[in-house]
Amino acid sequence: QTFTAWCNSHLRKAGTQIENIDEDFRDGLKLMLLLEVISGERLPKPERGKMRVHKINNVNKALDFIASKGVKLVSIGAEEIVDGNAKMTLGMIWTIILRFAIQDISVEETSAKEGLLLWCQRKTAPYKNVNVQNFHISWKDGLAFNALIHRHRPELIEYDKLRKDDPVTNLNNAFEVAEKYLDIPKMLDAEDIVGTLRPDEKAIMTYVSCFYHAFSGAQKAETAANRICKVLAVNQENEHLMEDYEKLASDLLEWIKRTIPWLEDRSPQKTIQEMQQKLEDFRDYRRVHKPPKVQEKCQLEINFNTLQTKLRLSNRPAFMPSEGKMVSDINNGWQHLEQAEKGYEEWLLNEIRRLERLDHLAEKFRQKASIHEAWTEGKEAMLKQKDYETATLSDIKALIRKHEAFESDLAAHQDRVEQIAAIAQELNELDYYDSPSVNARCQKICDQWDVLGSLTHSRREALEKTEKQLETIDELHLEYAKRAAPFNNWMESAMEDLQDMFIVHTIEEIEGLIAAHDQFKSTLPDADKEREAILGIQREAQRIADFNSIKLSGNNPYTSVTPQIINSKWERVQQLVPKRDHALLDEQSKQQSNEHLRRQFASQANIVGPWIQTKMEEIGRISIEMNGTLEDQLNHLKQYEQSIVDYKPNIDLLEQQHQLIQEALIFDNKHTNYTMEHIRVGWEQLLTTIARTINEVENQILTRDAKGISQEQMQEFRASFNHFDKKRTGSMDTDDFRALLISTGYSLGDAEFNRIMSVVDPNNSGIVTFQAFIDFMSRETTDTDTADQVIASFKVLAGDKNYITAEELRRELPPDQAEYCIARMAPYQGPDAVPGALDYKSFSTALYGESDL
């Protein structure tokens, strides 16, 4: 179908066509006509007969024409065509298509099938989803056909609306547009292409070749444009090479022109650092700057030769650089550069060695000069200072020794000064660039050296002179110190004595102090003469110092006692003497007053004290003696107590006198052995003793009456107690009490004695009083109440019950005693208790200390 359509597309130009490709070419007439149309040449006249031989001849003419075009027809003969062999006929038509439709296709030195494929790839490259790699499956989706049309006639195809997944629509669209607008008959069937796994390559190529020839006009224009571009590109490249040459040549010549004066400059630098920098710059030039220029020069020559070759090959005239930029000009400039460079490094090295020698000398000069200047720093000021004017003798001697050491050091530095001057002379002879500063520094050192020598001599003379003067002053200072020290000690001792806080208690003591003070005042005139003599020594030393302009440094080195201190302390002594006079006179008057107070108190105390002691003895005697009844003794004691109370004004008078003594701060009194404290204690003991003795007699009367003891028994108890009260204190210790009990008939073991002691001495004081003895003896010799007797009495009142009520108590006892019992009796807790029942048993035992109630 494709080949038929292709043949008809050309036969149509001759006004005919074929229907069946197998039959319509059998007579050879339409075959010859087809060849004439597609080749544009005339074939031999055909034979018009109907016989087989005529048909074979016509077909052979056609085959001969094909062979004349350089096409080899393998296994294709006229007989097969005339016989209607379809395979041979289609092979012949394909051969014709290849030769006349495809073979002439040429794209970038490729032709025929490869050329057609390359043309298709080029034309469809900008389109998405199109990738032409062959003439079968690359065309199945129809996009490649549409892309070819759209590339040349974009107005015929809306390519962006095509879909890759609709190949039939795509193919039919391309076939219809090609047939309608490009006069390319529909040679292919869309369904066959889509339905075939691998479409027929020859059919696709045949149909695509029609597109190539349809757009051949546009192809020729493109080829022409390519040719022009190629020619222009060659020309542009040549011009670019010419411009590059010109620029490189100009830059290189400019660099050479700029570098030569630098290399020819042989002016030496002042310092080695500057010359080393020039050497470093030259080495940078050799390592960094020159190698690229060598490369540029080489590249310039290569570019020039390449340019000339390209011009010659492209039939262009030879390149002629601008004046002065020829290769020969560059070579001449480069040769000049090499000549300037030659010897430059050697000159640099020689110059550096020369500067190194100079720098070594200059550094040596600076080093020695710096050492010398450091040594001399402060030396002039040291030699000019007048420290000896304020120095002590020991300081002056130390300064002289120090100066002698300096003179030795100065002499040792003479060699260095001479070396400095010699080096400066050598630098001048070698024309050192900084010779002026070296000379100035050397001159300054020499001038300073002369000054130091002069100052050293002057200082030695001043030190020796000052030493002699200070030795004289030192002798005066030593004499001053030897006399000032004891005199100062005498004044300090005197001030201490004059300000001493004296405490005296008697008139004799103050009179002794007044006598000693009068003796001290008699020594003051001689002390004043000594003071004047000592101050005269100091004035003489100061006169010598002032006359010789010596500034004495500080005080006398042998003593810290200055004339100001001496005068100040002497004035203080003069002030303290009258103050001491007044203080001693005041104290004398005070002691006279105190003595009067002592005598006054002693006179009264010597009366009161014995009186109290006598009364104490009388009370003791009355308490022991048993004159009359206990009532008689009690009356006698109360009369005695009244007489003691009546003596109280004498005690008050003594208190008043003691108050005056305390206010006067009098602490002792040789006129009496009694102190107010002794009097008070005695008086209080007297009052306490008479009161206690009266109380004891009263208690004895109560005991006698309560126990029914007779007067005779009481006197017997007193006689026994007094017998064993050996100390007559009204009490006795445990041993005396044991002896007393044994004498009254008791047979005592330790247990029984301890029981008795717990009764008579419940506090364990170790003392038994007469009252405790009477209480014990009354218990032992009389009938006494017990807790059981009281309980039995309460039981009678309660009607033989174990408890008692408040009503019963109020009925049987007096009101106050009934209320006393009700308030203190605890509630009865027994099983037979009634409301308001009271426990009389616990109450009764508590009365005798036998319970905790």
Side-chain angles (χ1 to χ4, degrees):
Q1 180 185 349
T2 302
F3 288 175
T4 301
W6 182 80
C7 292
N8 285 335
S9 68
H10 291 287
L11 289 174
R12 204 168 43 239
K13 298 175 184 178
T16 185
Q17 61 180 8
I18 61 174
E19 297 295 337
N20 188 330
I21 197 169
D22 300 340
E23 297 293 334
D24 292 347
F25 285 131
R26 290 179 64 183
D27 60 3
L29 294 176
K30 288 187 178 181
L31 179 59
M32 293 178 69
L33 182 58
L34 175 63
L35 290 172
E36 286 182 351
V37 171
I38 63 177
S39 67
E41 299 181 12
R42 295 291 295 178
L43 270 67
K45 186 176 180 181
E47 296 180 7
R48 296 295 178 175
K50 300 289 187 179
M51 296 178 65
R52 176 180 173 84
V53 66
H54 295 139
K55 294 178 182 181
I56 291 174
N57 288 336
N58 287 336
V59 172
N60 278 327
K61 289 179 181 179
L63 293 177
D64 291 340
F65 180 77
I66 293 171
S68 68
K69 297 301 182 182
V71 179
K72 292 183 179 181
L73 298 171
V74 181
S75 302
I76 299 176
E79 290 81 1
E80 286 82 358
I81 302 301
V82 172
D83 291 340
N85 188 323
K87 182 178 180 181
M88 292 300 177
T89 302
L90 289 174
M92 178 190 67
I93 296 303
W94 174 244
T95 301
I96 293 172
I97 290 171
L98 285 175
R99 172 59 185 83
F100 294 102
I102 297 175
Q103 184 173 325
D104 292 339
I105 296 174
S106 177
V107 178
E108 293 189 2
E109 301 180 0
T110 62
S111 59
K113 179 180 177 181
E114 290 76 10
L116 182 60
L117 182 62
L118 181 58
W119 177 79
C120 293
Q121 290 172 342
R122 290 286 181 83
K123 296 303 181 181
T124 60
Y127 294 87
K128 62 181 180 179
N129 297 327
V130 177
N131 184 16
V132 179
Q133 298 295 328
N134 49 56
F135 286 108
H136 36 83
I137 61 175
S138 294
W139 303 83
K140 283 186 70 174
D141 57 10
L143 292 177
F145 292 112
N146 284 279
L148 284 176
I149 298 171
H150 184 268
R151 178 64 183 271
H152 295 90
R153 297 289 298 278
E155 74 279 2
L156 300 179
I157 297 291
E158 293 186 50
Y159 186 81
D160 292 338
K161 293 183 178 181
L162 301 177
R163 294 166 45 206
K164 187 175 180 65
D165 58 355
D166 191 5
V168 175
T169 301
N170 297 340
L171 290 167
N172 286 331
N173 181 66
F175 297 160
E176 290 170 2
V177 170
E179 186 173 26
K180 182 177 181 180
Y181 296 102
L182 303 178
D183 197 24
I184 298 174
K186 185 177 181 182
M187 302 179 185
L188 303 172
D189 183 82
E191 285 74 8
D192 291 343
I193 295 174
V194 175
T196 305
L197 183 62
R198 178 185 171 98
D200 185 65
E201 185 177 43
K202 295 177 181 178
I204 298 295
M205 285 181 63
T206 301
Y207 187 60
V208 173
S209 67
C210 293
F211 284 92
Y212 176 82
H213 290 295
F215 299 129
S216 61
Q219 182 68 29
K220 291 177 182 178
E222 184 178 352
T223 302
N226 289 338
R227 182 177 292 112
I228 292 171
C229 289
K230 187 175 182 180
V231 172
L232 292 177
V234 171
N235 202 60
Q236 287 175 335
E237 183 182 2
N238 291 338
E239 289 180 357
H240 181 67
L241 288 173
M242 293 177 189
E243 292 173 359
D244 286 349
Y245 177 86
E246 289 284 340
K247 186 177 185 310
L248 283 173
S250 297
D251 292 346
L252 186 58
L253 287 170
E254 178 62 28
W255 179 80
I256 292 172
K257 182 180 178 182
R258 190 172 60 252
T259 305
I260 288 174
W262 176 69
L263 292 172
E264 290 178 342
D265 181 15
R266 296 294 196 275
S267 56
Q269 300 298 316
K270 293 181 179 180
T271 65
I272 189 171
Q273 289 79 14
E274 291 175 327
M275 289 304 297
Q276 286 175 338
Q277 185 59 49
K278 288 178 73 69
L279 178 60
E280 188 63 29
D281 293 343
F282 177 71
R283 288 173 177 170
D284 284 345
Y285 156 79
R286 295 290 296 270
R287 290 192 307 264
V288 179
H289 302 297
K290 186 179 179 183
K293 297 303 178 182
V294 174
Q295 186 64 31
E296 287 179 14
K297 177 177 176 295
C298 179
Q299 189 62 43
L300 194 66
E301 294 174 355
I302 293 172
N303 291 352
F304 181 80
N305 294 333
T306 301
L307 176 60
Q308 298 292 34
T309 301
K310 287 188 176 183
L311 291 173
R312 185 171 62 255
L313 294 175
S314 59
N315 295 321
R316 302 295 199 284
F319 169 60
M320 182 60 66
S322 302
E323 184 177 356
K325 297 181 182 178
M326 295 290 292
V327 174
S328 59
D329 295 327
I330 293 172
N331 287 333
N332 290 335
W334 192 264
Q335 185 177 3
H336 189 187
L337 177 72
E338 296 282 355
Q339 290 174 353
E341 182 182 326
K342 186 177 181 181
Y344 185 70
E345 183 175 19
E346 183 179 356
W347 172 78
L348 285 173
L349 293 174
N350 290 334
E351 188 64 20
I352 287 173
R353 283 192 287 271
R354 183 184 72 85
L355 289 176
E356 281 180 343
R357 288 195 299 274
L358 281 175
D359 275 359
H360 174 70
L361 280 175
E363 180 61 28
K364 188 175 181 181
F365 172 82
R366 285 190 292 269
Q367 184 179 10
K368 288 184 175 295
S370 296
I371 293 172
H372 178 77
E373 289 166 349
W375 179 83
T376 59
E377 184 177 359
K379 293 297 189 294
E380 283 190 36
M382 182 270 290
L383 293 171
K384 289 179 179 178
Q385 65 183 353
K386 296 183 178 181
D387 49 352
Y388 49 82
E389 292 182 350
T390 58
T392 63
L393 179 60
S394 59
D395 293 338
I396 284 293
K397 292 183 180 297
L399 288 175
I400 290 174
R401 288 192 295 271
K402 184 178 178 181
H403 188 72
E404 290 172 351
F406 174 75
E407 288 176 332
S408 300
D409 195 15
L410 186 71
H413 277 76
Q414 178 68 34
D415 290 342
R416 180 177 289 115
V417 175
E418 294 174 356
Q419 291 173 4
I420 291 171
I423 294 172
Q425 180 63 31
E426 187 175 359
L427 286 171
N428 280 289
E429 293 172 354
L430 293 175
D431 195 21
Y432 180 55
Y433 78 95
D434 200 20
S435 292
S437 65
V438 170
N439 293 335
R441 191 173 183 182
C442 180
Q443 187 61 45
K444 182 179 179 182
I445 289 172
C446 293
D447 293 343
Q448 187 185 34
W449 186 254
D450 295 339
V451 171
L452 288 177
S454 175
L455 290 174
T456 299
H457 179 71
S458 299
R459 182 172 175 80
R460 168 168 278 280
E461 290 181 345
L463 288 172
E464 290 175 348
K465 178 182 177 182
T466 305
E467 182 184 20
K468 292 178 181 179
Q469 296 164 350
L470 285 178
E471 284 176 347
T472 302
I473 293 173
D474 186 68
E475 292 173 358
L476 291 172
H477 278 166
L478 181 58
E479 183 181 357
Y480 171 90
K482 288 179 178 179
R483 298 178 66 176
F487 184 72
N488 181 66
N489 291 336
W490 175 85
M491 287 192 295
E492 287 181 347
S493 178
M495 286 189 293
E496 183 179 356
D497 292 342
L498 290 172
Q499 296 178 91
D500 187 22
M501 296 295 294
F502 54 83
I503 298 176
V504 296
H505 302 290
T506 64
I507 189 68
E508 292 80 5
E509 290 178 353
I510 190 62
E511 288 175 351
L513 290 176
I514 292 173
H517 183 63
D518 291 340
Q519 177 64 30
F520 168 75
K521 288 192 292 184
S522 65
T523 63
L524 290 178
D526 292 338
D528 191 33
K529 292 179 182 178
E530 177 64 10
R531 180 181 68 84
E532 286 296 335
I534 293 170
L535 295 180
I537 296 171
Q538 177 63 26
R539 285 193 292 270
E540 178 61 17
Q542 189 62 46
R543 184 193 66 78
I544 295 172
D546 294 341
F547 181 77
N548 295 283
S549 300
I550 297 174
K551 298 176 182 178
L552 296 177
S553 58
N555 297 322
N556 190 319
Y558 300 109
T559 180
S560 60
V561 181
T562 64
Q564 292 79 11
I565 292 175
I566 291 176
N567 286 331
S568 175
K569 290 183 178 180
W570 179 256
E571 290 176 4
R572 181 63 176 159
V573 169
Q574 295 296 314
Q575 295 169 359
L576 290 174
V577 167
K579 289 183 179 181
R580 186 72 169 183
D581 289 338
H582 293 144
L584 290 173
L585 291 175
D586 291 344
E587 185 63 26
Q588 185 181 33
S589 175
K590 177 182 174 182
Q591 289 301 324
Q592 290 172 349
S593 174
N594 290 349
E595 182 67 13
H596 172 72
L597 291 175
R598 286 192 189 94
R599 292 179 181 276
Q600 180 177 281
F601 176 84
S603 175
Q604 182 68 12
N606 288 336
I607 296 172
V608 173
W611 183 87
I612 292 174
Q613 186 175 1
T614 301
K615 292 300 178 182
M616 287 289 291
E617 293 173 353
E618 291 176 355
I619 292 171
R621 185 172 63 256
I622 292 172
S623 65
I624 294 173
E625 293 176 353
M626 297 176 292
N627 297 324
T629 65
L630 291 175
E631 284 78 2
D632 294 340
Q633 294 178 18
L634 179 63
N635 291 331
H636 185 58
L637 287 171
K638 287 184 176 180
Q639 293 174 0
Y640 211 88
E641 182 183 28
Q642 185 60 44
S643 67
I644 291 172
V645 171
D646 293 342
Y647 197 77
K648 181 67 165 55
N650 294 295
I651 303 300
D652 295 340
L653 175 62
L654 198 60
E655 286 283 2
Q656 294 173 1
Q657 294 172 348
H658 177 68
Q659 179 68 25
L660 295 175
I661 286 177
Q662 283 188 319
E663 290 174 355
L665 299 177
I666 299 172
F667 301 105
D668 59 347
N669 192 339
K670 67 180 181 178
H671 303 296
T672 180
N673 293 326
Y674 295 100
T675 65
M676 193 64 220
E677 185 63 26
H678 293 154
I679 298 297
R680 288 195 196 104
V681 171
W683 177 253
E684 290 171 357
Q685 287 179 346
L686 179 62
L687 293 177
T688 301
T689 301
I690 189 62
R692 185 174 64 247
T693 303
I694 291 172
N695 180 254
E696 287 178 354
V697 173
E698 289 175 343
N699 288 334
Q700 291 173 19
I701 293 173
L702 289 175
T703 303
R704 182 198 66 187
D705 294 342
K707 304 297 182 177
I709 301 174
S710 64
Q711 183 66 31
E712 291 76 13
Q713 287 178 316
M714 186 64 70
Q715 289 178 346
E716 183 181 351
F717 291 154
R718 167 58 73 179
S720 298
F721 190 88
N722 289 343
H723 176 74
F724 287 96
D725 182 13
K726 297 176 181 179
K727 298 178 181 177
R728 297 295 185 267
T729 59
S731 62
M732 62 182 69
D733 57 22
T734 55
D735 293 338
D736 292 340
F737 184 64
R738 181 189 287 269
L740 173 61
L741 291 176
I742 294 172
S743 69
T744 56
Y746 278 88
S747 178
L748 296 176
D750 291 338
E752 178 63 15
F753 181 72
N754 291 335
R755 182 189 70 80
I756 296 173
M757 284 301 297
S758 66
V759 173
V760 299
D761 185 19
N763 297 325
N764 294 321
S765 63
I767 299 298
V768 180
T769 64
F770 178 69
Q771 185 62 41
F773 172 67
I774 292 176
D775 290 342
F776 170 74
M777 294 303 293
S778 65
R779 289 180 185 178
E780 297 293 320
T781 59
T782 62
D783 183 21
T784 59
D785 294 328
T786 65
D788 291 339
Q789 292 173 341
V790 174
I791 291 172
S793 299
F794 271 117
K795 193 169 186 178
V796 171
L797 296 179
D800 207 28
K801 296 192 297 293
N802 291 324
Y803 60 87
I804 192 169
T805 64
E807 290 77 11
E808 291 172 336
L809 289 171
R810 291 190 179 99
R811 185 178 65 242
E812 299 296 339
L813 296 177
D816 56 339
Q817 292 178 344
E819 295 302 326
Y820 178 84
C821 293
I822 292 169
R824 285 165 176 75
M825 280 187 184
Y828 178 67
Q829 304 294 336
D832 54 342
V834 296
L838 300 175
D839 187 355
Y840 60 79
K841 292 182 179 180
S842 62
F843 173 77
S844 298
T845 56
L847 288 177
Y848 289 89
E850 298 178 6
S851 74
D852 295 331
L853 185 64

